[in-house]
Amino acid sequence: MEIKEIIERVKELKEIEQRAKEARRELEKKLFESVEKPEDGKPLWLDEETKIVWRNEVTIPQKVGKIWLERNPELAKRIFSLTVKPKISEISKLERTLYLEEELPPWMKDFETLKKEIKIVEKPQLQFIKNEEVEDDE
């Protein structure tokens, strides 16, 4: 199989996936609209291997969450789950700061130790760009 064939097949499968996800969401929406939640709040069994479970989901706008994190970090850390994801751009910026040999702020003392814990893994990512997004260099 040639590269162009593989690319076309991947595009085709992405479109199929997208249509399947949308179809599943629509069917689930119809299903959820057509059943009533049991008064006891327990799962509703539809057949031997399928049940509907009602779960609570909580959200907060990012802006508001950040305000609370600044206002009351101890409370926010207890209530919010925080994702720890290193920022490549920030690591690079801090590395440049180290090389300038200026006086470093106290919080930078652990930078080298922390950097040893961070793993940078390069992963290929296939991207599709529509024709109108491509600009000619000519």
Side-chain angles (χ1 to χ4, degrees):
M1 201 181 262
E2 289 186 34
I3 290 178
K4 285 193 178 236
E5 290 176 67
I6 294 171
I7 291 171
E8 285 305 312
R9 186 74 178 125
V10 169
K11 282 182 183 178
E12 204 176 289
L13 290 171
K14 281 183 74 70
E15 289 172 11
I16 292 169
E17 265 180 357
Q18 193 59 39
R19 287 194 309 267
K21 280 182 185 178
E22 187 58 38
R24 188 194 82 230
R25 280 192 285 262
E26 286 299 316
L27 287 172
E28 285 179 353
K29 182 180 173 186
K30 286 180 185 177
L31 176 66
F32 297 150
E33 288 172 351
S34 66
V35 296
E36 278 189 46
K37 178 180 175 181
E39 288 183 24
D40 60 7
K42 292 185 178 177
L44 175 65
W45 285 91
L46 304 175
D47 62 27
E48 289 181 14
E49 55 187 33
T50 310
K51 67 180 177 179
I52 298 176
V53 179
W54 281 264
R55 302 239 186 261
N56 292 331
E57 184 178 294
V58 294
T59 61
I60 188 169
Q62 283 289 319
K63 259 185 170 176
V64 176
K66 286 179 181 179
I67 290 169
W68 276 105
L69 189 58
E70 290 172 10
R71 186 181 299 166
N72 190 335
E74 192 59 38
L75 176 63
K77 287 176 189 173
R78 292 173 189 268
I79 292 181
F80 305 139
S81 62
L82 302 175
T83 303
V84 180
K85 183 177 179 198
K87 300 175 190 172
I88 292 174
S89 60
E90 194 64 28
I91 292 169
S92 297
K93 189 166 80 176
L94 292 174
E95 284 175 333
R96 288 191 301 274
T97 304
L98 282 178
Y99 297 127
L100 293 176
E101 297 183 16
E102 295 175 0
E103 189 168 331
L104 300 174
W107 55 266
M108 275 286 286
K109 69 179 170 61
D110 293 327
F111 177 69
E112 288 295 332
T113 308
L114 175 58
K115 206 172 93 175
K116 290 176 187 170
E117 302 283 340
I118 295 170
K119 291 177 179 46
I120 297 175
V121 180
E122 184 178 69
K123 293 183 178 180
Q125 181 185 35
L126 193 57
Q127 296 183 341
F128 296 103
I129 300 162
K130 292 186 169 72
N131 290 339
E132 55 267 12
E133 293 178 22
V134 178
E135 293 181 20
D136 291 328
D137 291 337
E138 298 175 294

